Amino acid sequence: MYEDSWYNAFVPSPQSQKDPSQVPKHRRRESLLKQPNESTQADTNRTGGIADIVEEANGAKGPPKATAVPRAKSYSDLHRPANFNVRKDEQDDTRGCNGAKDVRTELDFQGWYDELENDLFDASHEEYHDQLDLSTSHLDSLLDSTNSSLDLLSSLSESFRAVETQTTAFQAQCQSLLSEQQRLTRLADELGKNLQYYNYLEPVTRRLNAPGAGNFVRGKEFLEMLSHLDDCLAYMQKHPGHVEAQTYRSRYRLLLTRALTLIRVHFVASLRDIATDVSKRIADRQLNDTTMSALLYAKFRVGATELKEVGQAIHKRTISSAGAEAGGETEYQSLMNELYQSYSTTRGRLVIPIVRKRMTEIAMAPSTSIDLVAFARTSISYIRGICLDEHELWRDWFQGDEKLFEFLESVCEPLYDHLRPRTIHETQLLKLCELCTLLQTRYMHDQEEDTEPLDPNQLDFSTLIQPAMEDSQTRLVFRAQAMLRNDIEYYRPRPEDLDYPRQSRTLSLSGAKAPIMSGKRGSLVAPSSEVPKPPVVVEDDGGSGDEKEPHWDIDGGRKSGTWYPTLKTAVWLLSRIYRLVNSTVFDDLAHQIVHQTTLSLHQAATLISKGKADMIDSQLFLIKHLLVLKQQIVAFDIEFVTPDVSFDFSGVTSTFWELRERGGLFNPRALMRFMGGGLLPRVVENMLDAKVELDGRLRTVINDFTSGSAAHITALIKIDVVSFRGFNADAAVRSVREVAEKEVPLLRRRLDEYLEDARTKETLIGAVQDQVVQNYKLFYEKFSTEVSGNAKAVSKKGKGREDEVWDLDTFAEWTRGVFRVGGAGMRDTNEASRSRSASRNGSM
């Protein structure tokens, strides 16, 4: 019926005109019935009036009113809205059919058609609205159910929160109750733990005061009881704030003292029983050494372990006593000292009589009754064996070496009773030296040489033998000082000791020949450049006095028969006491020996110069012996001595006399003025260094020798005689040359008689030559100044005429040919000669 194109040409499609402001932003999708017919478009210009009517009709119509359908309360109620919609559709179909019967004309048809179209449109929307209403109703019911569920859940949440709050509060209460329970439990445990230190007092008191408590010491429970007492004392000291802490502490201290006293009683009683048994067996029969050793040592080792264990209980509390009061450790130390004393006394009664008897037998033996060293060797070896055995036994009884050396010193007293008187009455220095050597090498420890520490488990026997070492060293120093005083300082020389130059000639004839000298400087054949060897002492059995007469082997077989006696005694004495006494004592004594020897040599040189010999012999004697002394003391490592500090009051005395003469003795201004000018005493330091003194004296005598020898050669050209009238310079110079040619060989011969070292002799000859050249230089300068017009000087090097005054270079060249100086250190140049001459005072 929709195919009538003519009808569609006159009836336009209805278009609703609405207000743009009322048009919803979201356009709802149109139904299929309302979709426009794209193939046919109506002419709106021709049907304008009809369109208005249609629009009014369409505008008046709206969506059908929604029928209130009851909300389904259950799933079965959903059938009611569905049946309602079905009945309604049937009614609409019936009404449509009825309307179609009233169509008579085309206009009716048009009206019917429009009405039908509207009904269809409304029917399509009505179904949608019904569905929408149905969905809305269903959703509302769901929202109501959800809201009711949310309200139920909210109430449940509130209930849960209340339950959680109550649970938390209950848990906190339970936790506090548990904490309180734990606190009370802990408090109860602490009370029980603390009370055990108080409850322990009564049972310990009953046990220690019970009859026969001494037998309790042998049990293991006794040491445990001592440990508990220490714990109780430590607790009382740690908690002094407790009500009865001080009372319990005092009582525990008394109980501990009581327990340690029981240990001391048990220890002394056991030791006494062992000693009584051993003494009885020794007194019953004569025993050999093996049986005696078994009784003295094996018997004492039987119960030593048990007694050492209980003795350590006292020893530990002397080192660190827990809870000890002031003087408490002293009390425990006294108990330990009683153990030491009891042991030392008991062992001393058994061992010391045997040692004393053995010392007497050794002293009366033929091999040791006279010889000090033999007696010392035998007796010290025996005592050392006894001390080692006692040390080993002491370690079996005690922990540590406390009081051990006091006991061993009492054991060594018989040795000192025999050795000390013999050492004091020994007058032979050699025996004393042998005794010191024996003690040092066999029994003393050298701390400088022993790099490894001493084993603490071994006995340090050097401590016990130290008194004997000190006695022997003291006696040795005393005898050395006596020898220094008698044989060096107050030595009276015999005529044969001062018989020089005969003594030196004897040496030159018996000694080795001197090196052969050529006529040129530096042509010394094989000069000896070796340093003299230290002395080797050879003793003879025959000798006067208490000491054996020593002999020295110098430089490979040359004897020191021409040495002055004080020099021989000094070197022998230094070689004997070296390394046998303390280094400080040796340095002091060595300085005294060298000093007194130097003085005695000077006195001997003075006596020689006053006798048959001249000054040259005395100077050569002194040079020779000082050189020997200097060479010999090099090996002894003599150090500087401590300065001797003294006060000089001479200035004070002179100042007071000056003030008294001026009348200002009681004037304060005068006293202040003279305060810095002598009123205070001066501090004077006197350092006696034997090496420096020896070098100074040697330098002086060498300078005197060179000056005297040169002056003797150049006596005719002294500066004083140059200015005299009638002075013949040519004759004087010629005489000097003749004297030099005559005296130099004599001087060499005399040096050969006194000295053996070729370098030393050549050095002295060179010094004399330099001094002769120096004297000629002074003469030549004076002569050139005053009588230069008459002098016939040679102005160039070369051999001068015999009747002329030679210049300095010519004379120096001539002296080199006369003196013929050669050897190490000499150079054939004028610069070296002048340098040696200028520094001769400082180089020797």
Side-chain angles (χ1 to χ4, degrees):
M1 85 183 167
Y2 294 102
E3 295 179 357
D4 295 336
S5 59
W6 59 271
Y7 181 78
N8 294 331
F10 293 98
V11 180
S13 299
Q15 297 180 357
S16 60
Q17 298 180 356
K18 297 181 180 180
D19 190 0
S21 60
Q22 296 179 358
V23 177
K25 296 181 180 181
H26 177 71
R27 181 179 180 183
R28 187 170 57 186
R29 183 179 180 183
E30 296 180 353
S31 63
L32 296 175
L33 298 176
K34 205 174 179 180
Q35 293 180 355
N37 191 359
E38 296 179 355
S39 63
T40 306
Q41 292 184 357
D43 189 4
T44 58
N45 294 328
R46 297 175 61 187
T47 58
I50 299 173
D52 295 334
I53 296 173
V54 172
E55 290 176 358
E56 290 178 359
N58 293 335
K61 289 184 179 182
K65 294 182 180 181
T67 304
V69 180
R71 182 171 59 87
K73 294 182 179 180
S74 63
Y75 180 79
S76 60
D77 293 339
L78 292 177
H79 292 281
R80 187 184 300 173
N83 295 331
F84 177 77
N85 291 332
V86 171
R87 288 192 304 267
K88 185 177 180 181
D89 291 338
E90 293 176 355
Q91 292 177 4
D92 291 340
D93 293 339
T94 304
R95 188 175 57 246
C97 294
N98 295 330
K101 296 176 180 182
D102 294 336
V103 176
R104 299 290 183 186
T105 63
E106 184 178 354
L107 294 174
D108 294 336
F109 178 79
Q110 183 66 31
W112 175 81
Y113 183 80
D114 292 337
E115 183 179 357
L116 180 61
E117 185 178 5
N118 292 331
D119 291 339
L120 292 174
F121 179 77
D122 292 338
S124 63
H125 283 81
E126 184 177 0
E127 183 181 1
Y128 172 77
H129 282 290
D130 293 341
Q131 294 293 334
L132 181 61
D133 292 339
L134 180 62
S135 300
T136 302
S137 300
H138 182 62
L139 292 175
D140 290 340
S141 63
L142 291 177
L143 288 175
D144 293 339
S145 301
T146 302
N147 291 331
S148 61
S149 299
L150 291 175
D151 294 339
L152 181 61
L153 291 176
S154 298
S155 62
L156 291 176
S157 177
E158 293 295 333
S159 300
F160 285 144
R161 290 194 190 94
V163 171
E164 181 180 6
T165 304
Q166 294 176 1
T167 304
T168 303
F170 179 74
Q171 183 180 3
Q173 293 178 0
C174 293
Q175 189 67 31
S176 62
L177 292 176
L178 289 175
S179 300
E180 183 67 17
Q181 181 185 4
Q182 294 176 358
R183 186 185 68 82
L184 294 175
T185 302
R186 187 169 54 254
L187 180 60
D189 294 339
E190 291 178 356
L191 289 175
K193 184 178 179 180
N194 294 337
L195 286 176
Q196 70 178 354
Y197 296 104
Y198 292 91
N199 297 331
Y200 193 68
L201 179 63
E202 295 299 330
V204 173
T205 303
R206 289 194 301 267
R207 177 171 293 185
L208 291 178
N209 294 327
N215 299 326
F216 179 54
V217 178
R218 297 186 180 91
K220 296 182 179 180
E221 297 83 2
F222 186 80
L223 297 178
E224 296 178 358
M225 181 195 68
L226 292 178
S227 178
H228 292 326
L229 287 176
D230 292 336
D231 296 339
C232 294
L233 283 171
Y235 178 82
M236 298 303 166
Q237 184 179 5
K238 187 177 180 180
H239 302 85
H242 291 188
V243 177
E244 296 184 358
Q246 296 298 329
T247 303
Y248 276 82
R249 181 182 178 186
S250 300
R251 297 185 65 180
Y252 279 127
R253 287 279 300 162
L254 293 175
L255 292 176
L256 182 60
T257 303
R258 169 66 176 167
L260 298 181
T261 304
L262 291 177
I263 292 177
R264 190 257 300 170
V265 172
H266 173 68
F267 188 93
V268 173
S270 301
L271 186 62
R272 184 175 59 249
D273 295 339
I274 297 174
T276 302
D277 186 17
V278 172
S279 300
K280 184 178 179 180
R281 292 188 180 185
I282 293 176
D284 288 344
R285 58 188 179 276
Q286 296 293 333
L287 303 176
N288 55 20
D289 295 340
T290 304
T291 308
M292 185 71 70
S293 176
L295 285 176
L296 289 177
Y297 296 100
K299 185 69 175 179
F300 272 83
R301 287 190 175 95
V302 175
T305 304
E306 177 188 354
L307 295 176
K308 180 180 180 180
E309 184 178 0
V310 296
Q312 285 181 353
I314 302 178
H315 184 265
K316 289 189 298 184
R317 286 157 184 82
T318 58
I319 299 174
S320 176
S321 179
E325 298 177 350
E329 294 187 6
T330 305
E331 178 184 357
Y332 297 154
Q333 184 63 48
S334 64
L335 292 175
M336 195 66 200
N337 291 338
E338 290 183 10
L339 299 187
Y340 293 143
Q341 184 65 30
S342 177
Y343 178 85
S344 301
T345 304
T346 303
R347 291 295 302 176
R349 291 199 206 99
L350 297 175
V351 176
I352 293 179
I354 300 175
V355 173
R356 195 178 301 277
K357 179 181 178 181
R358 180 59 180 166
M359 287 292 104
T360 304
E361 293 176 356
I362 295 175
M364 296 177 64
S367 59
T368 57
S369 59
I370 300 176
D371 192 354
L372 172 64
V373 179
F375 171 78
R377 183 182 296 108
T378 305
S379 59
I380 294 176
S381 299
Y382 173 76
I383 287 295
R384 185 173 182 271
I386 294 295
C387 291
L388 292 177
D389 293 338
E390 291 298 328
H391 173 259
E392 185 178 356
L393 184 61
W394 180 281
R395 286 298 185 89
D396 294 336
W397 280 76
F398 300 104
Q399 180 71 27
D401 295 339
E402 187 179 1
K403 305 295 182 178
L404 169 64
F405 287 94
E406 294 182 5
F407 166 63
L408 295 181
E409 287 176 358
S410 63
V411 175
C412 295
E413 285 182 359
L415 171 65
Y416 300 146
D417 294 341
H418 287 81
L419 185 59
R420 184 175 288 115
R422 288 178 174 236
T423 304
I424 294 175
H425 292 88
E426 182 62 51
T427 57
Q428 294 186 16
L429 189 66
L430 290 177
K431 293 297 181 181
L432 295 173
C433 293
E434 291 179 7
L435 178 60
C436 292
T437 304
L438 172 67
L439 296 178
Q440 282 186 348
T441 55
R442 296 191 59 179
Y443 305 112
M444 303 300 294
H445 296 284
D446 192 349
Q447 298 179 357
E448 297 180 357
E449 297 181 359
D450 295 343
T451 57
E452 297 182 358
L454 185 64
D455 188 0
N457 295 325
Q458 294 181 358
L459 176 64
D460 186 9
F461 188 70
S462 60
T463 304
L464 300 174
I465 208 64
Q466 184 66 31
M469 185 67 190
E470 293 176 355
D471 294 339
S472 60
Q473 288 179 340
T474 303
R475 182 60 179 173
L476 178 60
V477 172
F478 176 77
R479 292 302 303 164
Q481 290 176 343
M483 180 175 289
L484 170 64
R485 182 175 60 255
N486 299 330
D487 298 341
I488 298 178
E489 184 177 359
Y490 298 125
Y491 178 74
R492 292 182 180 182
R494 297 171 295 179
E496 56 269 20
D497 296 335
L498 303 176
D499 190 7
Y500 283 87
R502 190 181 65 83
Q503 293 276 6
S504 60
R505 290 171 185 168
T506 304
L507 175 63
S508 63
L509 293 176
S510 60
K513 294 181 179 180
I516 301 175
M517 302 294 297
S518 66
K520 297 181 181 180
R521 174 180 295 191
S523 62
L524 179 65
V525 179
S528 176
S529 60
E530 297 181 357
V531 179
K533 299 178 181 178
V536 178
V537 182
V538 180
E539 290 126 4
D540 294 337
D541 294 336
S544 60
D546 296 330
E547 303 298 337
K548 295 180 181 180
E549 185 66 22
H551 297 281
W552 288 262
D553 186 7
I554 305 295
D555 276 347
R558 298 178 185 175
K559 300 298 182 180
S560 58
T562 59
W563 283 8
Y564 192 66
T566 58
L567 176 61
K568 291 191 291 185
T569 303
V571 176
W572 181 85
L573 186 59
L574 289 174
S575 64
R576 280 302 176 184
I577 66 174
Y578 182 56
R579 294 189 182 276
L580 294 183
V581 296
N582 185 269
S583 60
T584 305
V585 177
F586 174 78
D587 292 338
D588 184 47
L589 188 58
H591 280 280
Q592 295 180 18
I593 293 173
V594 175
H595 174 68
Q596 295 298 333
T597 304
T598 305
L599 293 180
S600 67
L601 293 176
H602 272 272
Q603 294 174 2
T606 303
L607 295 176
I608 291 174
S609 63
K610 293 179 180 180
K612 300 178 181 180
D614 56 3
M615 184 60 66
I616 297 297
D617 288 323
S618 65
Q619 291 173 351
L620 289 176
F621 165 83
L622 191 57
I623 290 174
K624 168 192 173 181
H625 286 82
L626 291 180
L627 285 175
V628 171
L629 180 61
K630 179 179 176 63
Q631 293 166 359
Q632 299 303 317
I633 66 175
V634 170
F636 298 119
D637 299 331
I638 303 176
E639 302 293 340
F640 293 103
V641 296
T642 307
D644 183 15
V645 181
S646 61
F647 295 95
D648 184 10
F649 292 92
S650 60
V652 178
T653 306
S654 60
T655 302
F656 274 104
W657 280 104
E658 184 178 355
L659 291 175
R660 181 179 180 184
E661 292 295 333
R662 294 181 181 180
L665 183 59
F666 299 100
N667 189 358
R669 293 184 179 180
L671 292 175
M672 293 299 296
R673 184 170 62 254
F674 286 99
M675 183 67 71
L679 185 58
L680 296 179
R682 295 185 299 107
V683 178
V684 180
E685 293 186 1
N686 298 321
M687 175 174 285
L688 178 62
D689 188 359
K691 291 183 179 180
V692 176
E693 180 187 10
L694 180 59
D695 292 339
R697 291 183 180 273
L698 184 59
R699 187 183 302 111
T700 301
V701 69
I702 289 176
N703 291 335
D704 295 341
F705 169 74
T706 56
S707 300
S709 301
H712 178 67
I713 296 174
T714 60
L716 298 177
I717 58 174
K718 291 182 179 179
I719 300 178
D720 300 338
V721 301
V722 175
S723 302
F724 292 163
R725 291 183 180 182
F727 175 72
N728 189 351
D730 298 338
V733 173
R734 186 168 57 253
S735 300
V736 168
R737 292 198 299 269
E738 293 175 355
V739 172
E741 291 175 353
K742 179 182 177 181
E743 292 294 332
V744 169
L746 296 176
L747 182 60
R748 280 188 172 278
R749 192 176 305 115
R750 299 179 76 172
L751 287 175
D752 292 338
E753 293 175 355
Y754 283 92
L755 302 176
E756 297 181 3
D757 186 57
R759 295 198 329 181
T760 304
K761 292 184 289 186
E762 293 304 316
T763 302
L764 292 176
I765 291 295
V768 174
Q769 176 188 349
D770 293 340
Q771 188 62 42
V772 169
V773 174
Q774 184 69 20
N775 293 344
Y776 187 83
K777 178 182 179 181
L778 297 177
F779 157 75
Y780 184 75
E781 291 176 353
K782 183 69 173 179
F783 178 75
S784 300
T785 302
E786 296 186 0
V787 291
S788 58
N790 298 327
K792 297 179 181 180
V794 179
S795 60
K796 61 180 179 179
K797 292 184 178 182
K799 185 176 181 181
R801 297 173 53 182
E802 297 294 333
D803 57 349
E804 290 180 340
V805 177
W806 293 348
D807 65 348
L808 183 60
D809 294 336
T810 304
F811 185 80
E813 183 72 21
W814 176 83
T815 57
R816 283 195 289 271
V818 174
F819 284 88
R820 295 180 299 177
V821 178
M826 297 298 179
R827 296 294 182 267
D828 189 14
T829 58
N830 293 332
E831 290 78 5
S833 177
R834 294 191 182 93
S835 174
R836 186 173 61 251
S837 176
S839 61
R840 68 187 186 281
N841 295 329
S843 63
M844 298 302 298

